[in-house]
Amino acid sequence: DGGITQSPKYLFRKEGQNVTLSCEQNLNHDAMYWYRQDPGQGLRLIYYSQIVNDFQKGDIAEGYSVSREKKESFPLTVTSAQKNPTAFYLCATRERYEQYFGPGTRLTVT
Amino acid sequence: AQSVTQLDSHVSVSEGTPVLLRCNYSSSYSPSLFWYVQHPNKGLQLLLKYTSAATLVKGINGFEAEFKKSETSFHLTKPSAHMSDAAEYFCVVSDIPGGYQKVTFGTGTKLQVIP
């Protein structure tokens, strides 16, 4: 899992509540990514950030928001507009061609 | 266009026998290719990577993969499976059209190792 911390490991929320997932890195990498993982679908890109104060939507950004105020931090907010938020969320950084992944947060919304 | 196809969603082998996990890709550029492994409820760990150097790439835990441009394949192999190899494996293609890295993950292959 390298120098990437995701907390908490498991998160439970009621439907209709916003929830923020934490991602912190000490690898000094500029680029950071959020992925969602569902069984049988591989990883799908939610948002990415190439540099501080800049971020771009990925393939499935609807219902999610991010911020990148510091190089070390890239929090993801899952809003009540996300129709199927229950999933495993992975944060990653990139150096050149290689991505480094955090341990993930499993979010369950009931 | 960029895509990755992992040809088997599940592979089952006996302990001590060879492992073959198949991956085909397409890319309009000169891609980098990766294999990652994921154990349950964990993040992804890099097994090996191809970035336009040697076509036969050796990785951790005895895994290796061969980049075959003519076949657009990057299959993952290991001569002898261990119980600890049971996990899900992802093939990944990456290129940089227009200066921004695009990364596409395969849908994963679950490897079962039978004692």
Side-chain angles (χ1 to χ4, degrees):
Chain A
D1 300 334
I4 302 173
T5 304
Q6 289 187 246
S7 60
K9 189 169 177 65
Y10 297 95
L11 191 53
F12 298 88
R13 280 294 183 269
K14 295 288 188 185
E15 195 173 315
Q17 293 179 335
N18 291 356
V19 59
T20 298
L21 281 60
S22 166
C23 177
E24 303 282 330
Q25 57 114 347
N26 62 5
L27 300 171
N28 201 35
H29 293 166
D30 284 317
M32 297 187 73
Y33 301 77
W34 273 106
Y35 293 93
R36 170 183 172 135
Q37 185 177 24
D38 297 280
Q41 296 196 45
L43 275 67
R44 293 182 290 168
L45 180 64
I46 304 173
Y47 268 96
Y48 65 98
S49 169
Q50 302 276 14
I51 201 166
V52 175
N53 292 323
D54 180 68
F55 49 84
Q56 306 293 330
K57 292 182 179 179
D59 301 318
I60 56 164
E62 185 176 349
Y64 298 98
S65 65
V66 293
S67 63
R68 186 82 188 278
E69 297 175 1
K70 299 187 302 182
K71 188 174 187 177
E72 300 80 16
S73 179
F74 191 40
L76 173 74
T77 297
V78 184
T79 75
S80 56
Q82 168 49 232
K83 291 182 172 44
N84 296 296
T86 295
F88 190 52
Y89 290 87
L90 286 160
C91 176
T93 67
R94 178 175 65 83
E95 182 181 49
R96 298 196 59 173
Y97 295 99
E98 186 174 336
Q99 293 201 325
Y100 299 78
F101 287 85
T105 292
R106 184 165 295 282
L107 173 64
T108 302
V109 176
T110 57
Chain B
Q2 183 188 80
S3 68
V4 178
T5 302
Q6 289 185 243
L7 295 152
D8 306 291
S9 58
H10 291 82
V11 169
S12 183
V13 301
S14 297
E15 190 176 17
T17 65
V19 176
L20 170 63
L21 305 184
R22 298 181 295 165
C23 173
N24 286 105
Y25 72 93
S26 70
S27 174
S28 302
Y29 303 85
S30 297
S32 296
L33 293 156
F34 306 81
W35 276 99
Y36 285 86
V37 61
Q38 184 182 34
H39 289 90
N41 292 312
K42 300 286 187 184
L44 276 67
Q45 180 186 16
L46 181 68
L47 275 179
L48 49 80
K49 61 185 175 185
Y50 166 78
T51 56
S52 76
T55 56
L56 181 62
V57 181
K58 293 188 185 298
I60 62 171
N61 300 335
F63 284 95
E64 62 180 41
E66 187 171 6
F67 174 70
K68 292 187 176 180
K69 187 174 182 178
S70 61
E71 299 176 11
T72 61
S73 69
F74 191 58
H75 302 334
L76 182 70
T77 60
K78 183 173 180 177
S80 175
H82 294 166
M83 294 301 296
S84 60
D85 294 329
E88 190 160 20
Y89 293 80
F90 292 93
C91 182
V92 180
V93 62
S94 169
D95 54 37
I96 310 186
Y100 288 94
Q101 186 195 35
K102 180 169 175 57
V103 178
T104 301
F105 287 78
T107 52
T109 298
K110 286 190 178 173
L111 176 64
Q112 180 186 24
V113 182
I114 302 167

